[in-house]
Amino acid sequence: MTELKWIPVCECTPECNEEVLIKFSNGKIDTGYRVGIFWFPNNEFYADYTVVSWMPLPEKYEGEGE
């Protein structure tokens, strides 16, 4: 299993339109994507905060016996 780590946006950004986990300057976490220099969180409540880091979404859970 690969360990996922937060990637600071000052070091690297995800591909445009790639849905990822994003962490905001207030410490909250949501999913969202970026287009150019703009980030679009899925929860608009966080839209006023700065995205400080991101990580790829984890792989989809495949339950036992499925």
Side-chain angles (χ1 to χ4, degrees), residues 18-41:
E18 176 185 359
E19 189 170 22
V20 295
L21 288 173
I22 49 181
K23 185 183 255 185
F24 298 90
S25 57
N26 66 349
K28 300 293 184 183
I29 297 171
D30 195 6
T31 56
Y33 60 96
R34 108 183 148 80
V35 177
I37 62 170
F38 300 102
W39 289 88
F40 296 92

Side-chain angles (χ1 to χ4, degrees), residues 28-61:
K28 300 293 184 183
I29 297 171
D30 195 6
T31 56
Y33 60 96
R34 108 183 148 80
V35 177
I37 62 170
F38 300 102
W39 289 88
F40 296 92
N42 290 333
N43 181 341
E44 295 198 20
F45 174 76
Y46 301 124
D48 293 335
Y49 294 97
T50 303
V51 175
V52 294
S53 57
W54 66 279
M55 74 169 63
L57 291 174
E59 294 181 22
K60 182 179 176 184
Y61 174 74

